[in-house]
Amino acid sequence: MGSALLVAVMFGSGAVRVQLGAGTMAGALLGSIALGLGYGLVVWSFGGLSGAQTNPLVTLLASAMGEQRWSSAVARIVAQLAGATGTTLIAAQIGPLWASGDTAVAGARGVAEGVASFGFVLVALGVAQRRDIKVPLALGSFATASFWMTGRATVGNPLLVLSVFVVRGEHDAGGLLIALGGAVLGAVLASAVARLLFPRAREAASCLLFVPHGVRR
């Protein structure tokens, strides 16, 4: 459910930008705020139930660095793909025109996805160890900032990259692989940096993204 809503948030913020003018300051500002608030609300709403893992890269890190079982990681990723696919199919039917008019979701950009993925994972590991309400706020804020840093609404999330690829009907498979590779590389680098910066990085990975004390993962 979290992944399905996240895809809806991405395309919804794109609709705001297109309606106000994708190239205007007002469109970019309000669209990025909608993206950040939506992302934060998704994490906040589902964090107490599942950790709100809506990014498969984060799910893999929770098992590679933390204590999450690999079987749980596989189940979560399957659920993420199912949720994202459902919303993507709907978006492909009702919104291809405004999606194609938004440059923030246009094409595949490996460097941009890498920067966004690096920042998202680093922020997630930096605040997840707190296990409090600051986690959704921090990640929502980063989603807004990421839009301005990279010009992308996909936040380095492979699910969102794939959704854009499908909805826009693109055929640049090479560009898609570069974008996905950039996102993976950014996440790997962020996990390495987090180990150096945060003494409790492994503990943070075990509770990604937001699971309060006493809640079983």
Side-chain angles (χ1 to χ4, degrees), residues 49-191:
L49 298 175
S50 64
Q53 293 182 22
T54 57
N55 187 329
L57 297 178
V58 171
T59 298
L60 292 174
L61 282 176
S63 293
M65 291 181 60
E67 300 175 354
Q68 179 174 258
R69 295 186 301 271
W70 283 105
S71 59
S72 296
V74 172
R76 287 174 184 270
I77 291 175
V78 170
Q80 291 164 6
L81 288 171
T85 298
T87 305
T88 298
L89 293 177
I90 294 174
Q93 295 298 318
I94 66 175
L97 293 179
W98 56 254
S100 63
D102 185 9
T103 57
V105 297
R109 300 289 185 271
V111 175
E113 297 302 336
V115 170
S117 176
F118 177 88
F120 184 87
V121 169
L122 198 60
V123 169
L125 289 173
V127 299
Q129 55 194 321
R130 300 169 184 249
R131 299 191 184 189
D132 59 23
I133 202 62
K134 297 182 182 68
V135 179
L137 175 62
L139 293 179
S141 299
F142 178 79
T144 300
S146 174
F147 176 86
W148 290 94
M149 288 189 295
T150 66
R152 304 280 290 169
T154 46
V155 204
N157 187 328
L159 290 179
L160 301 185
V161 176
L162 288 170
S163 295
V164 171
F165 187 82
V166 172
V167 171
R168 289 177 57 85
E170 296 182 0
H171 303 287
D172 183 13
L176 174 63
L177 292 177
I178 290 175
L180 294 177
V184 171
L185 179 60
V188 171
L189 291 176
S191 64

Side-chain angles (χ1 to χ4, degrees), residues 3-26:
S3 296
L5 290 177
L6 181 58
V7 173
V9 164
M10 178 188 65
F11 284 121
S13 67
V16 171
R17 290 191 295 273
V18 170
Q19 290 172 7
L20 294 178
T24 66
M25 183 63 72

